[in-house]
Amino acid sequence: MSPSFLLYGANGYTGTLIAQMAAERGLNPILAGRGRARIARLAAELKLEHRVFALDDAPAVEANLKDVPVVLHCAGPFSRTSQPMVDACLRTGTHYLDITGEIAVFESLAARDAEARGAGVMLLPGVGFDVVPSDCLAAHLKRRLPAATKLTLGIGGVGRVSHGTATTMIENLGRGGLVRRGGRLTPVPSAWKTRRIDFGRGAIGATTIPWGDVATAFYSTGIPNIEVYAALPQTARLLMAASRRLERLLTTSSVQGFLKRRINARPAGPSDEERARGASFIWGEVEDDGGAKCVSRLSAPEGYTLTALTALAIVERTLKGQAPTGFQTPSLAYGADFILEIEGVTREDVS
Ligand SMILES: NC(=O)c1ccc[n+]([C@@H]2O[C@H](COP(=O)([O-])OP(=O)(O)OC[C@H]3O[C@@H](n4cnc5c(N)ncnc54)[C@H](OP(=O)(O)O)[C@@H]3O)[C@@H](O)[C@H]2O)c1
């Protein structure tokens, strides 16, 4: 069977989960990454082809993508890893997918839209939990209230996170929050606002976070004012609020190093059992200038399971030729109802 797509960062927590599910589906990915022994071991276990190359070796990245129609990039933080992979994809005509949730990465890929169209390449970042379900919900809400000028999203059910997710979060500590106001990304303090959100099991407290939709939902819906909230444990909320005063300290290399060592001493991510038990919830509200409002919400599998399911569903679509060129968001490429094709996802219009 010929290989179907290249999975870079396959030995990471999320990459391995995706590799296992892809193999179960008979998708036959090429497993890739920078660590020879780890990649080779996983490839042998799953009986898949593998390639080893580093992202700072541009000729090697290009040589390894030449015969590949689609790359699914799972090595983050993407603020450090996305650009060399995108550069190579644009040179080799390879469609680019990643699982970032980083606003700066979404914005930098959006800025390469014309370049990607010229190269006949689709750039679709954020094919995981952040942002597929929330992006599809935002597009659904825009469809329900076309004159909407304000979008508020809520993320619920966030459980144990992987090393990669925690590292990305730590690198953003002390950098404050972001919302979209009048179409522009606007800095706000960390944990700027709190409110109560009913994800379907009674209202709970949630805090503003700089989730990917602050970038992507604007491209998907054109709604100029966007805020995203997350229902986080009390300690996480207090830490975020405290980080406002500790900004300088949290960005020093010694504190960053200390926090990253603490992370690496913990399990790589949620266990299979935790994933099976977990669930995620997305809530959204749109409002127009006349005060009309609509609320809808989604219930879905646990975040890492959902990431693997949505990423592979998008890989499958891309391999079938459903790959509109240029910068895309999940709902722009596949529609607001795409998320309902994922097993275990339900949507409800609340008001
Ligand atoms: N959007 C979402 O919903 C979502 C869901 C899950 C994960 N993520 C993101 O995906 C990323 C990976 O998460 P994870 O859980 O798999 O983390 P992880 O277990 O820590 O794995 C990180 C992977 O990235 C690779 N990597 C890191 N920096 C690299 C570089 N400069 N060059 C090449 N490879 C590099 C690592 O390779 P080595 O082993 O060789 O270091 C490893 O394969 C994180 O940024 C995380 O935030 C997003």
Side-chain angles (χ1 to χ4, degrees), residues 12 19 24 52 95 103 117 154 168 180 221 235:
E24 280 163 21
V52 178
H95 297 305
I103 291 172
R117 281 175 205 272
T168 307
R180 201 175 275 273
T221 66
T235 41

Side-chain angles (χ1 to χ4, degrees), residues 148-151 179-184 218 221-226:
T149 52
K150 184 174 177 206
L151 168 71
V179 297
R180 201 175 275 273
R181 208 183 274 158
R184 290 183 175 277
F218 179 61
T221 66
I223 298 175
N225 300 299
I226 303 170

Side-chain angles (χ1 to χ4, degrees), residues 8-15 34-35 38 55 74-78 80-81 99-102 128-131 162-165 168 268 304 307:
Y8 192 86
N11 67 292
Y13 174 82
T14 312
R34 63 180 172 179
R38 292 187 294 267
L55 296 174
C74 293
F78 293 90
R80 280 194 260 125
T81 62
I99 57 165
T100 191
E102 296 159 72
F129 174 47
D130 187 352
V131 293
S162 70
H163 287 176
T165 305
T168 307
Y304 290 92
T307 292

Side-chain angles (χ1 to χ4, degrees), residues 73 77-87 96 98 105 109:
H73 191 14
F78 293 90
S79 51
R80 280 194 260 125
T81 62
S82 157
Q83 194 197 327
M85 190 65 94
V86 171
D87 288 347
Y96 172 91
D98 74 26
V105 175
L109 295 198

Side-chain angles (χ1 to χ4, degrees), residues 179-233:
V179 297
R180 201 175 275 273
R181 208 183 274 158
R184 290 183 175 277
L185 290 174
T186 307
V188 292
S190 189
W192 178 48
K193 285 194 201 167
T194 56
R195 59 168 290 167
R196 294 183 72 74
I197 292 179
D198 185 355
F199 291 94
R201 301 190 294 190
I204 52 173
T207 306
T208 46
I209 53 160
W211 196 255
D213 299 278
V214 172
T216 46
F218 179 61
Y219 299 106
S220 301
T221 66
I223 298 175
N225 300 299
I226 303 170
E227 287 174 9
V228 184
Y229 290 74
L232 298 170

Side-chain angles (χ1 to χ4, degrees), residues 246-257:
L246 301 174
E247 203 166 297
R248 280 237 183 100
L249 181 70
L250 289 169
T251 49
T252 59
S253 54
S254 53
V255 171
Q256 289 266 319

